[in-house]
Amino acid sequence: MENTQALSTKEKMSYGCGDAASNMMWGMTSSYLMYYYTDIYGLPLVAVSWILLVARVVDAFCDPAIGYVVDRIGGLIVPRLIRTLAIPFGITGFLCFLALPLSPTGKVVWAGATYIVFGAIYSCINTPYGALAVMMSRSATGRVGLNAFRMMGCQAGSLLVALLTIPAITWLGGGESPAQHRYGMAVYVLALSVLGTILWLCVARGCTVRHPPAPVRQDILVTLRHLLGNRRWVLSNLLAFFYFVGQAALFGFALYYARVILGGTEQLGANIITFITVLLFAGVPVCLPLARRLGTIRSGIICLIAQGAAYLAMAVAGASMTGFFLSIALLALAQGVMSPLYYTLLAEAVDDGDPRTSTGSAGLAYSINTWVTKLAMGLTGFVLAQFLSQGHYVEGGVTQPPELSAWITTGFVWLPLGAVCMQVFCLLAWRDRE
């Protein structure tokens, strides 16, 4: 008989621990990895852009592979898999920010290798974690609640990183020099890695698989063809792609926008990241009552309209600190409200799908979604690094060339605004079939 027991608050919190663990390291890589590579470790911008891109290409194989394994073995393997990978996740995350004293070429190789290996481990733990939500509850309300805790965990992990990173690496390193920052970064990320491992173990211990999918022995090409025939699954992946394009631009360029456009320091950039993260966190609890009142799609469209207005206001504000913070507040709140909806729509697409093409292959379906999000981050990181290069960014420089401002504004405002417009089209296409 199917287990219909309601999810407890403790179990929802345990599930949220997974995104807290992921997003401590995700926050480090999305907000500070480019800065670490360019201004602390001293890598050339061209090398940084290719590292970010190649790591995502490698993930193209890791995500579907682990999803395929989960489908073939069955859903009960997921907690065991998370428990097994918790420690490797922490170790590889730490190595990404361990600045070994190597030659210029050796630094590039070390940075690329560690980031690629971390990305592979991240895929192998986060993909089963994403599929776990479908296996824990069949209720639409239960899933929205579960994903709300997931998003709160996500924002809690991101908030920890946003609040502590710049002050911590300065304090732990004992000063402001690059060498002191390298040491401080290593100690700080080591602490995050240990905490992340503990949180993943909480997920494995505290979450119950109530609805484990049976092992799927279907040929992978047939499964992929069926998934591509699931229209809403395709739309949910497009939504995720454009959402994470915006997230990568928002967090990846915040430090540069603060320094070049607003005329501040790295600390101002860290304060902006903290401000965004707090408001993202504050917006998440609004999602459930809003979705109940207006419906998932209508709520999402309203949030996207608010985001578009915020980006336009930011472009008009320019260097005005007041205008910028008002705009970014509206943007972050709207993104926070909407964030659980992405995973709710994905769960709906995976669970129900198109009646003609539903596959039941949750592992592969979620693995491709995970890869899509990381592909968006990698491609956006590549583009942002190229923007810095085109603007002739001076690593660690006090003064920057005047043409850099236009490139940073393009990456921080206009690129994510385009991504918001594409998300609106995806939701309208979803709505057509309701």
Side-chain angles (χ1 to χ4, degrees), residues 94-109:
F94 165 65
L95 293 179
C96 282
F97 291 89
L98 181 62
L100 296 183
L102 304 171
S103 67
T105 301
K107 287 182 178 181
V108 172
V109 172

Side-chain angles (χ1 to χ4, degrees), residues 311-320 413-414:
Y311 277 119
L312 291 174
M314 197 184 303
V316 172
S320 167
V413 177
W414 301 117

Side-chain angles (χ1 to χ4, degrees), residues 53-111:
L53 183 61
V54 170
R56 298 291 74 84
V57 172
V58 173
D59 280 345
F61 299 95
C62 296
D63 286 290
I66 190 64
Y68 186 63
V69 168
V70 169
D71 284 337
R72 288 188 66 84
I73 297 177
L76 291 175
I77 194 180
V78 170
R80 194 182 329 140
L81 191 59
I82 291 173
R83 187 184 306 110
T84 301
L85 293 173
I87 293 177
F89 175 88
I91 292 173
T92 54
F94 165 65
L95 293 179
C96 282
F97 291 89
L98 181 62
L100 296 183
L102 304 171
S103 67
T105 301
K107 287 182 178 181
V108 172
V109 172
W110 170 253

Side-chain angles (χ1 to χ4, degrees), residues 42 124 175-176 213:
C124 292
E176 299 282 352

